[in-house]
Every structure is written in C-alpha cells, then in structure tokens.
Amino acid sequence: MAPMGIRLSPLGMAVFCLLGLGVLYHLYSGFLAGRFAFFMLSEPAAGGPETPHGSVPGGAVDLRELLAVSVLAAVRGGEEVKRVREGNVLNAKAKGKTREGADEQLTTGDLLSNRRMFYLLKGAFPAVQINSEERVDTADQETVSWDRSIPEEIKQKIQPKEVPAESVTVWIDPLDATQEYTEDLRQYVTTMVCVAVNGKPVIGVIHKPFSSYTAWAMVDGGSNVKARSSYNEKTPRIIVSRSHAGKVEQVARQTFGNKTVIIPAGGAGYKVLALLDVPEKNQEEADVYIHVTYIKKWDICAGNAMLRALGGHMTTLTGEEISYTGSDGNEGGLIASINMNHKALIEKLPDLEKTSHK
C-alpha cells in the first residue's frame, strides 16, 4: 500500500516511469553532445598537425604571428637557396618564356626554397590562401613545423592584431632574381614573403641569403628598416631591371636631365632595398625604382608593403594602386619612391606607361 493510503495504478506507474526516463534522456544526451563537440573541436585529426589557434576557416589570424612565421619562412627558404648555389647543383632549366621572349629560369634552389617556405606557412596557418611563384607538388609534401615563438624584436615593436582569415592572402617568392642566381650574381638574390589583407599589402619581408640580412615591416605596426634621409628629386638615381635599362634611360634623361643616373640591377627585392637605409656593403642606393613591363605580384608585394609601412609609394606607371587579389600579374608597370613627391614623378614620366604593355 502506498503512503497515506494512496494507491497507484499500474498505468500511472508506467506513465511516471516514462516521464522520468524522458527527462534523464534529455539531460544526458545534451551532456554527451556537448562532450562530443568539445572533443571534435579540441582534438587534431588523426595523422594531421594540430590546427593553430586563430587559423580555422572563418576564424581570425594574428598578423604579429604571421609576420614572425613569414620572417622564419624567408630565412629557411634562403638557407636552401644558399646551399644549392654553394654546392653548385643548380640544375638550371628554362620553364618558359618571359613576355620579352627571354628564357625564364628554374633551378633546384627555386624548388627547394619554395617547398620549405610554402609548407612552413601552410602548416602554421592552414586556412590562409598562399600564392607562390613555383608550383607546389603535393607528392613532395614536407612537414615543417613552427614552434610559435615570436622574436623579441617583433614583440617589442608590433602589437597583436587579428584580422579575418578569409581576408588574408600570402604571396611568396622563393627565389627572386633567378637569372642572376644562375650567373652567380649573389648580391641581387632575395627570398620574399608578403601578407595582403583585402588586397592591400600590409606585411613585407625581404631576406638576402648570401649576407643573412633580413628586412621586415608592417603597415601601422613597425619595422626593422628605415628610409634613407637624402634624396635628389631633380636628378634622381633610377634603378631598373638590367634588361630594361635601355628603355628607361632615354626617357629618364629627357625628363630629369643628362645627369640622371641609371642603375641596372637584378631582382625586385634588391631594387626596393636600394630605396631604403640598408646596412649592406653590396647594396646600391637609388631614389626611384621603375619597371616598364608586366611583372608578377609575388615579385613586388613584399616591397610594396615595406614602402607603405615606411610612408613610401609603389603604384603603376599611371599612379594606380596595385591590388594583391585576383590574377598574379600586374600589367601597368610600376614606379616606387619614398620621401619624394610621388605624384610629381608620375607626371614627369608619362611616356613610360606606353611601353608597359609591350
């Protein structure tokens, strides 16, 4: 008999039990679902690297961390470039033709540097789009890990700054000035990494493998390089590609006078460093960098970011900003300067734009 003289019917007992089971099922299933979700989010996939914080699809990327790993990637790639050159195992071959009809060289240094740089960046930030000059062979994948350490110099100068992962595009040039590399003109060779956010270059890293010098800068952040303080705007020293010196010289001398100095050089990274205060004995100095033909964005993105961070400019020959989204080429040539009247320079060189599409 039930307490207080109340008698429970079998049907009532059954209903009561079913209600209790329903409540327990609801509570316990919610607990299990929560634990399962936590497990899926916190555990890396079997056989794969742990996903770094802030780099999941739709998540955020810390630009200070991305700068740190970009510097490391440029240095690691440079180690491969130097090792191949010093071992004289270039295995150089033509991978195609430039628009001017010259052979475009490819070496073992390009390929090994590309592999090291790409997989280091991709392992650290798998959700970020990475564009590289060389094709990435998935069959030759390399596991290159980053210990997530940030150099003290970067910690002191750069504050953490998060941006949406989907807004970021990384451009890497694993070996700039390959032609000069094959000719053993080592001073022109660089490895470069650039980070663009919504198409605007914000982080630039240029590394010189054969002198172990690395320049980096971040827009609205800081840098380890400065602009030179002395420029001659009336008769500037103009640095140009070795193959384009003749195209630029005549127009430049007509515009600025016969005292204008034309500096033929290799590599876009080297040419941008020529505009800056670089403690390198094999680095020439220039006031303006001009390129009059089509050029790939991984050649110029890092230098563009560096100049922007230091108050300089890099535009097409008609003064348009270069967007680092979409296609990998820039059709409008370029003119770069710092601490000069960039608009006035463009207005003085109107005829050069006509040659940029040839």
Side-chain angles (χ1 to χ4, degrees), residues 210-268:
F210 297 102
S211 65
S212 300
Y213 173 75
T214 306
W216 58 262
M218 177 173 160
V219 175
D220 297 328
S223 70
N224 72 339
V225 64
K226 297 179 180 179
R228 286 189 298 106
S229 58
S230 60
Y231 296 88
N232 191 335
E233 195 163 347
K234 293 183 179 179
T235 57
R237 291 165 293 180
I238 300 177
I239 194 164
V240 298
S241 294
R242 296 161 71 207
S243 58
H244 301 159
K247 290 184 178 181
V248 178
E249 183 170 4
Q250 184 177 1
V251 175
R253 293 191 187 281
Q254 289 175 352
T255 303
F256 298 107
N258 291 330
K259 293 184 179 181
T260 302
V261 177
I262 303 298
I263 304 172

Side-chain angles (χ1 to χ4, degrees), residues 261-275:
V261 177
I262 303 298
I263 304 172
Y270 178 90
K271 297 184 189 83
V272 168
L273 291 179
L275 306 181

Side-chain angles (χ1 to χ4, degrees), residues 2-207:
M4 304 300 293
I6 299 174
R7 183 179 180 183
L8 298 176
S9 68
L11 178 61
M13 288 289 290
V15 171
F16 180 81
C17 290
L18 287 173
L19 287 173
L21 288 172
V23 171
L24 289 173
Y25 174 78
H26 175 74
L27 293 174
Y28 195 61
S29 64
F31 172 78
L32 286 177
R35 295 302 299 169
F36 180 74
F38 175 80
F39 174 81
M40 292 301 291
L41 288 173
S42 62
E43 292 293 324
E50 183 177 354
T51 301
H53 171 71
S55 63
V56 295
V61 170
D62 181 0
L63 290 180
R64 185 171 74 166
E65 290 187 350
L66 194 46
L67 168 60
V69 76
S70 295
V71 170
L72 181 60
V75 171
R76 291 281 181 84
E79 291 171 354
E80 296 297 314
V81 167
K82 184 179 180 181
R83 182 174 63 83
V84 170
R85 178 65 267 184
E86 291 183 342
N88 199 27
V89 287
L90 274 65
N91 297 319
K93 61 181 180 180
K95 66 178 180 180
K97 296 282 188 181
T98 66
R99 290 197 177 185
E100 292 81 20
D103 287 336
E104 193 169 6
Q105 296 292 317
L106 177 68
T107 70
T108 302
D110 294 87
L111 297 176
L112 294 181
S113 175
N114 182 70
R115 184 177 69 178
R116 181 63 57 89
M117 293 175 71
F118 179 86
Y119 284 115
L120 176 57
L121 287 160
K122 198 64 178 175
F125 293 93
V128 167
Q129 179 181 338
I130 301 176
N131 296 336
S132 175
E133 179 174 9
E134 307 304 337
R135 185 176 64 87
V136 178
D137 188 351
T138 55
D140 197 26
Q141 184 170 345
E142 179 176 358
T143 301
V144 187
S145 61
W146 176 46
D147 63 6
R148 309 197 67 76
S149 64
I150 299 176
E152 284 301 318
E153 184 181 38
I154 293 178
K155 280 185 179 180
Q156 292 173 6
K157 295 183 178 182
I158 307 293
Q159 295 298 314
K161 182 179 181 180
E162 291 192 343
V163 296
E166 61 270 20
S167 69
V168 176
T169 305
V170 176
W171 296 82
I172 62 177
D173 191 341
L175 201 171
D176 189 41
T178 300
Q179 180 61 47
E180 287 73 19
Y181 182 64
T182 64
E183 297 173 18
D184 209 16
L185 299 173
R186 303 184 182 194
Q187 71 272 24
Y188 297 128
V189 176
T190 63
T191 58
M192 297 188 286
V193 181
C194 176
V195 177
V197 177
N198 295 320
K200 295 183 178 180
V202 298
I203 290 174
V205 179
I206 303 177
H207 174 68

